[in-house]
Amino acid sequence: MTDAYLETVDLACERDWRLLFEHLQVSVKPKDMLQISGPNGSGKTSLLRLMSGLMRPTTGDVLIKGISIEQQRNELAHNLLWLGHAAGIKGLLTAEENLTWLAALHNGASREQIWQALAAVGLAGFEDVPCHTLSAGQQRRVGLARLYLDAPALWILDEPFTALDKDAVTQLEKHLAEHCNNGGMVVLTTHHPIQNVPSTFRELDLGQVALS
């Protein structure tokens, strides 16, 4: 019996008729922070999307709490939070409106909780502002505010530091480390050298994964 929350079992991924990786075994346990690294085209984003159930593997499987993702697609939003490379928000909606529907994917959130989350990412006073009027960094912060709401324990994040200034990067690093120290899990890709990491931090370099 494994204590892993997320596992990949003999995972293989082929894109555009090219095999990116195969026989990949990854295990993520509570408190883990796993950075997926590797050169461009090595399959970093593809692996995150496979782990999130947004893609299907060429072969192999992804398990969450010991059960195949394929058997629990209706429950995935309650088991993990996915944040892609883009901000993942709708420009015509306000910051508050975006977080309201995004939070509904998980456990929902009150208006007070949403405003507190926006304040935590430095967007106090921008709650009612349409997101298309915000800068790229501010739009990114709207998406990242989801990490300050009642979210699943597993966060899968593709380049979460994109468009953030130095202070916001430092704050996000601290928040991710605290999440892991409190029993949560983070799997991420980033070109940013992370300075603040939990003791459970480790790195998987897809460029070093040999193809058989």
Side-chain angles (χ1 to χ4, degrees):
M1 184 72 177
T2 179
D3 59 349
Y5 186 94
L6 179 146
E7 295 177 272
T8 68
V9 181
D10 288 330
L11 200 66
C13 179
E14 181 180 306
R15 296 296 303 272
D16 299 324
W17 301 282
R18 184 169 70 90
L19 187 61
L20 300 178
F21 51 79
E22 63 179 347
H23 305 307
L24 191 63
Q25 308 282 134
V26 180
S27 175
V28 180
K29 303 175 183 179
K31 295 192 173 185
D32 281 354
M33 179 182 287
L34 174 64
Q35 179 180 349
I36 309 299
S37 63
N40 291 340
S42 60
K44 299 186 294 295
T45 293
S46 292
L47 177 55
L48 292 195
R49 291 177 65 84
L50 288 168
M51 289 178 167
S52 302
L54 298 174
M55 285 174 51
R56 286 182 164 86
T58 302
T59 59
D61 204 356
V62 177
L63 311 180
I64 293 182
K65 295 187 283 190
I67 302 173
S68 171
I69 275 184
E70 292 300 322
Q71 299 177 32
Q72 52 178 318
R73 288 197 167 272
N74 292 337
E75 295 82 38
L76 279 183
H78 296 288
N79 291 328
L80 63 89
L81 183 153
W82 158 262
L83 187 62
H85 188 272
I89 59 175
K90 297 184 181 296
L92 293 179
L93 299 182
T94 67
E96 179 183 348
E97 289 169 340
N98 268 290
L99 280 187
T100 297
W101 74 265
L102 287 169
L105 296 173
H106 308 296
N107 300 315
S110 66
R111 189 181 196 194
E112 179 181 4
Q113 290 170 325
I114 288 171
W115 281 41
Q116 289 175 347
L118 288 170
V121 296
L123 290 178
F126 290 87
E127 298 88 355
D128 297 325
V129 176
C131 286
H132 70 87
T133 68
L134 301 177
S135 69
Q138 289 172 322
Q139 291 182 23
R140 189 62 173 173
R141 291 185 191 209
V142 173
L144 290 169
R146 297 171 63 190
L147 305 181
Y148 291 83
L149 296 170
D150 185 12
L154 174 61
W155 298 351
I156 300 181
L157 314 174
D158 190 9
E159 295 290 347
F161 301 101
T162 298
L164 297 182
D165 60 30
K166 182 178 179 181
D167 289 342
V169 166
T170 299
Q171 178 185 347
L172 179 56
E173 283 188 357
K174 180 180 178 181
H175 188 58
L176 297 182
E178 287 177 348
H179 178 65
C180 293
N181 289 331
N182 290 332
M185 295 151 283
V186 175
V187 181
L188 78 162
T189 64
T190 179
H191 290 92
H192 163 76
I194 308 175
Q195 304 298 321
N196 189 342
V197 296
S199 60
T200 52
F201 173 84
R202 70 186 194 279
E203 184 176 354
L204 170 63
D205 186 348
L206 290 181
Q208 301 299 316
V209 176
L211 297 175
S212 63

